Amino acid sequence: MSENSFMKKSKTNKPWQLRPEDLSAIEAMASFLPEKFYDIHAHWYRKADLNAPENSFWNSGPEIAGHEQWEDYTQQLLPKASLLGGLFFPAPLPYVNLSAANQFLFDELEKSTLSRGLMLVKPETSQKELELGLSHANLVGFKPYHVYSTETPTPHSGITGFLPEPIWASAHENRAVIMLHIMKDKALLDPQNCEDIRRLCLKYPNVRLILAHCGRSFHALHAEGAKFLNSIPNIWFDMSGICEMQAILPILKHFGPEKLMFGTDFPVSQIRGKCVSIGNGFIWLDENNCNWDQAWSKPTLVGLESLNALKEAANNFGLDKSDLDLIFWGNAMHLLGLNEYSSPTNQSYYKHAKTIIPGGTQLLSKRPENMAPTHWPPYFKKASGCEIWDLDGKHFYDFSTNAVGSCILGYAHPEINKAIIKKVNLGNMCSLNPPEEVALADKLCEIHPWAEQARFVRGGGEACAVAVRIARATTGKDKIALCGYHGWQDWYLAANLGENDALKGHLLPGLSPDGVPDALRNTSFPFKFNDLEAFQEIIDQQPDLAAVIMEPCRYEDPAPGFLEAIRDITKKNGIVLIMDEITVGWRLHFGGMHLKYGIKPDMAVFAKALGNGYPTGAIIGTKAAMEGANRSFISSTYWTESLGPVAALATIAEMEKQDVQKAIKHSGRQVQHILQTTAVNENLPIKVKGFPALTSFSFDHPESEMLRTIFTQQMLSKGFLAGTAFYPTLAHNEKIIGLYHQALAETFGYLRVVIKENSFDKWPKEETAHSGFSRLL
Ligand SMILES: Cc1ncc(COP(=O)(O)O)c(C=O)c1O
């Protein structure tokens, strides 16, 4: 139901009939029109019950507009569609005969097996009347409307003015649907509206709330308010009456295509005109309030304008056929319990993945078994800030490693996405090179004055492998000393070709060198961080070292003189010193920790945070160290796409605007403090370690792995992705950290009881989280 001025009867034209301009609009959209349709927002009424003003639009149509009429007129707009049914309710006019209008609805519902109804309610509708209404077959909820509000003027009414709490409570008790048309000047952007919706949806979680007209975003920009509500599971949107794609895009962005539904608002779909945003508000242009002689077009039907808006939004957002099936019928039927999604659920999909993808995933640390087997959600649908919606649509705050440390600005950061979208629109890849890589080389050399050149790849392990190859080419030597984890490639795993697990203690124990040529035995030599003696031993025993590759730090600062000594020794011996800044760089210090420690390496490598979620990797170095890159063949097709350097430039620009490192250090400190104090309160034996921006903790207990598993399971049940490592992002604000604190306190309390009662055998051993590589095979 829409507002005021358009509801005038046409004087010049016969309404409710298609005209040539409608037919050509339908033809232009032919390939977009759905094959099935379930109308989530439509009215059934009898003129006689409406008591509408004489010249009102409502009086211009048929005497009776029930199931049959809806079907006739809607079929005209959607000629290819099989009309499955709809969610219908009376027309909420100020002087409607409410009980007669509801009775007409109840009667009509009997004519369509798949259709459902909402009874029209007023604030004063009694509990008894609500119960009685719900007892009618296929009556599934309530339709309130502002014209009945106790708050006047009603267009400015708050939600509870026309939908008081007793109606919410009844809807909750009966698992009912509410179709809510919010009011006030800014509708979905009005803070009080958002606060009321949040409070009431959380208090009455069984209510399925449909925010009509994209949250009444007739002024399209108001739809951006959807971002304040997207963690609430029981909200859906219909886009009936919406004629501008700008009102649809924020709903898609913040809620995804699974929460949007197309509706006609029949008979509003039959109005000739369009609702347009203007100034801070909107206007319904119709046949009577606009001088069409001056226009270059004739008005078509609102229903067609709506379809066109969805078509534009679909093209803009990249919706495919399966998304549109959801929007045209799937979501509505799912919401009303009329069908089940056939999409795979998290755990079943992963089970299948393991049969078709060796290892199940492409990254060891994203295997759910690492966290909490059969509980940790393997897949996501949507991610934003530090929030994730899994494949089943469940919402989580991410207090794990936030994409293995790659997204320090937060997921789907608007500025990075803006730069990416522009490049996608202009073309990401072609036969020529992206100029952004030159700008990025300049930028990295500016930030690292010791460096003179750069090469680019698309990942961290690749960056290390390229750096090692260049160092070998430059020095003409083969062997590598290393400290830390540097990726999956042969040169690194060669260190484990000896008798022992030489890479144990460098992040991952048990890395199998299967598939690495035995000829690489004795080519890579690990040494422990801060163990200068071990390093010196390698230098003494291996005269033909090409490079030393190491993280400048990982869990702690280097001991005084450690890095300086390595710099000194490598220089004296003609060895290329490579700083691996893939995890610590940008996160702990802008540009990398070697800058903070005042060390000038010969090369440095970056990835992860440099692209804030987009694949990128960089190798920078002095001209002398990089010399071998001119001779060695180092070349790959997708290293020439644009998004990597575009994302890196945008991410650096964002980090130059604000002190990201300071902000995430602060959040990390807060979480470390929360972990420590909560553990003391609950008398839990934990050890917190690491830089605040790379926080981790462990349970100091013989059942530590089981405690870690139970911890993660409990946190998941409270809506948090949490393990024993937390890599903060810019999106982890005080409020979200507060929610984590609350969940953590409850979880630690639970663990205290488990330890006290020694009730570990309640958890199957096979559900224990895995650690290291070998246990995952
Ligand atoms: C220090 C370091 N180097 C290299 C890598 C490998 O990077 P990627 O996983 O992007 O290949 C990692 C990944 O964790 C890392 O922490």
Side-chain angles (χ1 to χ4, degrees):
M1 169 64 200
S2 320
E3 289 147 305
N4 46 50
S5 67
F6 67 81
M7 293 177 194
K8 301 277 189 317
K9 188 172 177 175
S10 164
K11 290 182 191 111
T12 51
N13 289 314
K14 224 175 164 194
W16 300 81
Q17 279 184 15
L18 291 187
R19 297 182 191 165
E21 52 269 30
D22 305 323
L23 293 170
S24 60
I26 291 171
E27 203 181 313
M29 285 188 284
S31 62
F32 176 76
L33 296 176
E35 278 155 16
K36 286 195 216 175
F37 178 52
Y38 192 97
D39 195 344
I40 196 63
H41 185 132
H43 302 278
W44 281 339
Y45 61 96
R46 284 178 302 208
K47 262 190 205 173
D49 299 329
L50 293 180
N51 290 318
E54 207 203 323
N55 65 349
S56 152
F57 165 77
W58 296 93
N59 278 329
S60 67
E63 287 303 312
I64 294 180
H67 181 259
E68 196 183 313
Q69 292 70 25
W70 164 80
E71 206 164 44
D72 267 4
Y73 286 107
T74 304
Q75 195 75 73
Q76 283 190 334
L77 301 183
L78 303 171
K80 287 196 302 186
S82 143
L83 303 182
L84 305 170
L87 181 63
F88 297 95
F89 36 96
L93 269 61
Y95 303 106
V96 69
N97 178 340
L98 192 110
S99 58
N102 278 332
Q103 190 56 51
F104 176 67
L105 171 80
F106 304 149
D107 297 342
E108 286 296 295
L109 279 174
E110 286 173 19
K111 298 180 185 166
S112 160
T113 33
L114 284 181
S115 290
R116 296 291 179 265
L118 302 175
M119 71 187 276
L120 191 57
V121 294
K122 292 184 175 179
E124 64 271 24
T125 305
S126 70
Q127 287 296 314
K128 211 167 139 207
E129 287 167 308
L130 296 175
E131 294 293 329
L132 198 66
L134 287 172
S135 69
H136 283 91
N138 296 337
L139 200 291
V140 296
F142 309 128
K143 166 67 187 173
Y145 197 54
H146 77 92
V147 293
Y148 313 123
S149 181
T150 52
E151 294 171 20
T152 52
T154 72
H156 298 280
S157 171
I159 289 165
T160 48
F162 54 101
L163 181 59
E165 277 210 50
I167 302 184
W168 282 89
S170 167
H172 170 74
E173 215 162 279
N174 293 286
R175 301 188 167 270
V177 174
I178 293 178
M179 174 66 72
L180 180 62
H181 177 132
I182 56 174
M183 299 305 295
K184 295 186 180 256
D185 285 347
K186 289 190 163 183
L188 203 56
L189 264 187
D190 181 279
Q192 189 62 48
N193 275 346
C194 281
E195 201 184 307
D196 285 348
I197 292 169
R198 167 174 292 280
R199 179 176 65 80
L200 292 159
C201 280
L202 294 178
K203 184 168 175 190
Y204 301 107
N206 293 341
V207 170
R208 287 164 284 163
L209 182 71
I210 303 173
L211 290 172
H213 322 299
C214 293
R216 200 271 221 150
S217 297
F218 291 132
H219 180 74
L221 299 185
H222 292 163
E224 198 47 40
K227 70 177 169 216
F228 301 118
L229 301 172
N230 65 1
S231 61
I232 303 170
N234 49 336
I235 293 179
W236 285 257
F237 291 85
D238 81 53
M239 55 154 292
S240 62
I242 289 291
C243 301
E244 295 172 322
M245 79 161 175
Q246 290 85 349
I248 301 168
L249 292 174
I251 309 299
L252 290 171
K253 181 173 160 199
H254 298 298
F255 278 78
E258 292 81 10
K259 288 299 186 95
L260 179 68
M261 299 172 286
F262 188 83
T264 60
D265 205 357
F266 174 80
V268 173
S269 48
Q270 300 299 316
I271 289 170
R272 205 160 279 287
K274 179 174 184 176
C275 182
V276 293
S277 305
I278 186 156
N280 293 326
F282 59 91
I283 183 167
W284 282 87
L285 303 177
D286 67 26
E287 282 195 292
N288 302 304
N289 66 1
C290 195
N291 183 352
W292 295 101
D293 292 341
Q294 287 181 357
W296 285 76
S297 177
K298 290 180 178 154
T300 52
L301 299 177
V302 164
L304 296 175
E305 293 286 358
S306 248
L307 278 167
N308 209 30
L310 178 60
K311 183 180 165 210
E312 280 183 42
N315 286 339
N316 198 285
F317 197 79
L319 298 180
D320 61 19
K321 162 98 172 59
S322 64
D323 298 318
L324 288 166
D325 280 349
L326 292 180
I327 292 168
F328 278 120
W329 57 272
N331 292 332
M333 294 188 73
H334 183 59
L335 162 67
L336 297 173
L338 299 170
N339 73 351
E340 283 302 316
Y341 283 142
S342 59
S343 62
T345 61
N346 260 316
Q347 300 300 343
S348 69
Y349 213 42
Y350 185 56
K351 220 170 168 184
H352 172 61
K354 290 211 277 193
T355 68
I356 198 158
I357 297 173
T361 66
Q362 318 311 317
L363 182 79
L364 178 75
S365 46
K366 283 198 183 175
R367 289 189 195 171
E369 293 91 331
N370 263 0
M371 307 302 286
T374 73
H375 288 74
W376 186 265
Y379 302 104
F380 79 103
K381 230 177 223 171
K382 197 174 112 60
S384 167
C386 60
E387 294 170 78
I388 292 178
W389 287 257
D390 76 3
L391 191 62
D392 303 333
K394 191 158 189 271
H395 171 264
F396 296 97
Y397 290 107
D398 194 348
F399 275 75
S400 68
T401 60
N402 285 270
V404 205
S406 61
C407 294
I408 55 174
L409 303 178
Y411 302 136
H413 189 278
E415 289 304 314
I416 316 303
N417 278 5
K418 200 161 97 185
I420 292 287
I421 289 165
K422 176 179 154 197
K423 197 66 202 184
V424 168
N425 284 333
L426 290 171
N428 170 43
M429 178 77 170
C430 73
S431 298
L432 307 184
N433 296 291
E436 290 86 355
E437 67 182 22
V438 186
L440 181 58
D442 278 338
K443 188 78 206 170
L444 289 174
C445 291
E446 176 197 315
I447 295 168
H448 305 89
W450 59 267
E452 296 159 298
Q453 294 187 327
R455 284 287 313 252
F456 299 107
V457 292
R458 293 296 178 271
E462 262 187 330
C464 293
V466 166
V468 163
R469 166 76 80 76
I470 295 175
R472 282 172 166 165
T474 298
T475 60
K477 296 185 277 182
D478 287 348
K479 299 198 171 154
I480 308 293
L482 61 95
C483 176
Y485 171 75
H486 304 294
W488 67 274
Q489 282 85 348
D490 286 2
W491 76 264
Y492 179 68
L493 292 182
N496 268 357
L497 282 168
E499 301 296 303
N500 55 359
D501 189 1
L503 290 173
K504 187 175 173 186
H506 295 266
L507 194 69
L508 279 170
L511 289 181
S512 160
D514 275 9
V516 177
D518 201 54
L520 291 184
R521 189 184 284 258
N522 290 329
T523 54
S524 289
F525 303 92
F527 61 94
K528 294 262 157 66
F529 192 68
N530 274 341
D531 189 346
L532 201 50
E533 245 173 64
F535 175 71
Q536 187 62 52
E537 210 173 296
I538 297 173
I539 295 289
D540 295 342
Q541 288 171 8
Q542 307 297 339
D544 51 353
L545 279 181
V548 171
I549 179 166
M550 63 183 301
E551 297 189 74
C553 61
R554 180 80 182 209
Y555 306 104
E556 58 191 328
D557 283 319
F562 176 65
L563 290 183
E564 290 77 0
I566 290 180
R567 174 64 287 188
D568 228 36
I569 296 166
T570 45
K571 196 168 256 168
K572 277 193 194 125
N573 290 278
I575 300 166
V576 173
L577 176 60
I578 306 164
M579 285 292 163
D580 180 343
E581 295 276 6
I582 286 165
T583 284
V584 297
W586 314 103
R587 172 170 288 280
L588 300 186
H589 189 81
F590 180 76
M593 285 300 269
H594 70 275
L595 291 177
K596 184 175 173 208
Y597 298 138
I599 296 293
K600 286 186 190 157
D602 302 304
M603 280 190 221
V605 287
F606 306 95
K608 296 209 184 198
L610 180 60
N612 202 60
Y614 290 97
T616 196
I619 304 101
I620 61 170
T622 62
K623 234 177 191 166
M626 300 282 275
E627 186 276 326
N630 295 310
R631 289 177 286 107
S632 183
F633 179 66
I634 303 170
S635 172
S636 177
T637 304
Y638 274 125
W639 289 351
T640 66
E641 63 80 48
S642 310
L643 300 187
V646 164
L649 284 167
T651 304
I652 293 173
E654 225 25 56
M655 291 196 263
E656 281 175 331
K657 269 193 236 159
Q658 52 184 325
D659 195 339
V660 176
Q661 292 72 25
K662 189 173 164 196
I664 62 173
K665 183 176 179 178
H666 176 70
S667 300
R669 269 219 182 105
Q670 277 181 300
V671 167
Q672 289 194 340
H673 179 73
I674 287 168
L675 283 164
Q676 264 148 348
T677 51
T678 316
V680 169
N681 287 347
E682 297 297 342
N683 200 16
L684 264 197
I686 71 162
K687 273 191 189 146
V688 178
K689 32 183 204 238
F691 294 100
L694 280 171
T695 287
S696 66
F697 73 95
S698 56
F699 292 99
D700 196 7
H701 188 275
E703 292 277 8
S704 63
E705 288 302 89
M706 188 44 109
L707 281 168
R708 175 163 86 87
T709 311
I710 305 170
F711 169 76
T712 297
Q713 286 184 5
Q714 285 296 308
M715 291 298 282
L716 283 173
S717 71
K718 298 178 198 322
F720 290 84
L721 295 172
T724 48
F726 169 56
Y727 297 178
T729 74
L730 205 53
H732 288 86
N733 59 32
E734 303 271 330
K735 193 170 155 210
I736 293 173
I737 291 174
L739 296 173
Y740 170 79
H741 190 173
Q742 216 175 318
L744 186 94
E746 288 167 25
T747 300
F748 274 11
Y750 184 88
L751 295 182
R752 175 177 46 76
V753 176
V754 172
I755 292 176
K756 191 169 157 223
E757 295 177 352
N758 196 17
S759 55
F760 290 99
D761 30 328
K762 271 206 235 155
W763 283 268
K765 280 278 174 260
E766 61 275 15
E767 281 198 3
T768 317
H770 299 187
S771 57
F773 178 68
S774 50
R775 289 209 42 212
L776 287 160
L777 295 177

